[in-house]
Amino acid sequence: MRRRRASYRAHHRGTKEMDVLVGRYADARLADFTPDELARFEMLLNLPDPMVQTWVFSGEGAAAEFGDLVADIRVFHRLADKAN
């Protein structure tokens, strides 16, 4: 149930760009998330679109607790190399 809800929320962020970026990432990764990873992803979904969008596109400024999650989203969408 939590994964389905997170998937829905990822696909319905509010802006089309974030629907695509976060939604496609969720489609690919949600099934493999541990309960802790899922909880952190749910917290990310609670943040405003402009904040998350800035983090994803720039690769900078992400709160420490979301740094590796944002980095994984960036790598998934080929906005960054795995080494970054």
Side-chain angles (χ1 to χ4, degrees), residues 40-54:
R40 197 160 36 115
F41 185 68
E42 291 169 326
M43 290 187 332
L44 181 83
L45 294 174
N46 286 328
L47 299 174
D49 266 1
M51 179 185 295
V52 177
Q53 186 171 348
T54 298

Side-chain angles (χ1 to χ4, degrees), residues 20-41:
V20 172
L21 287 173
V22 180
R24 288 183 182 171
Y25 175 80
D27 289 344
R29 299 281 203 266
L30 269 177
D32 297 325
F33 277 177
T34 65
D36 289 340
E37 291 169 330
L38 179 58
R40 197 160 36 115
F41 185 68

